[in-house]
Amino acid sequence: MASPLDLEEQEQLDELKHFWKRWGDLITWMMIVVLGGYAAWMGWQSYSTKQAAQAAALYDTVERSAIGGDITLLDRSVADIKDKFASTTYAQQAALLAARVYNDKDRKADAKAQLTWVVDKASDEGYQALARLRLASLLIEDKAYDEARKHLTAKTPEAFAPLMADRLGDLAMLQSQSAEAVQHYKNAWKGFEPNAEYRRLVAVKLAALGADPEDKTAVESKK
């Protein structure tokens, strides 16, 4: 004869069987999804780490070739890092570095191509803004003023606003637009930190145009 304890255990076992019969598949699938997600996340972490390490090694090659003046190796390594690791900051840094070297070597078209790639492909807004500044300078040298202005007036991080304004002032001066140049230079001057060395340069430009960044002359003329 079964004891009360045996009957209680049998009831609990029956309840458990009933529970698993009703919810077992759902629980199993939920565990599969959770464990699968965890495995995917771990796999992605491992992949990302490996990608970053490979991109860093390739960027080192880009840097060494730039410093050593091995332009053939620079061409190949920059193309490789952009092709294989385009989404990494290493690729964006490599393109900016290559653009500087190409410009120094009087390969203006290649320099523009590298900067344009950063503008179009970079995920970091800071790198994009830096590329826009450098590209605008090259375009200004080519007298492609309208195209340069598009880059200088594009949306960029606030930290780059004074630099963009300064270059817009230079562009206005080249187009004999003194009043516009003064306004751009004033915007640049106001945007820089008080102790910034670049701010002094902007003040010199304003002085050359007979303008005071703080409009002190205008205030005194009213008194």
Side-chain angles (χ1 to χ4, degrees), residues 112-129:
K112 290 178 186 175
Q114 295 297 329
L115 294 171
T116 300
W117 183 86
V118 177
V119 170
D120 293 339
K121 303 295 184 181
S123 57
D124 186 289
E125 291 183 342
Y127 287 131
Q128 284 183 317

Side-chain angles (χ1 to χ4, degrees), residues 141-161:
E141 289 179 7
D142 292 341
K143 294 182 170 53
Y145 298 145
D146 290 341
E147 193 175 351
R149 184 176 287 103
K150 289 179 181 178
H151 287 288
L152 295 173
T153 55
K155 183 180 179 181
T156 55
E158 189 62 30
F160 285 87

Side-chain angles (χ1 to χ4, degrees), residues 157-166 183-196 198-199 202 206 213:
E158 189 62 30
F160 285 87
L163 291 170
M164 295 293 185
D166 175 63
Q183 188 57 58
H184 288 309
Y185 287 142
K186 284 184 177 181
N187 291 338
W189 189 87
K190 292 174 183 177
F192 285 117
E193 293 293 325
N195 60 344
Y198 208 115
R199 199 186 202 210
V202 176
L206 283 167

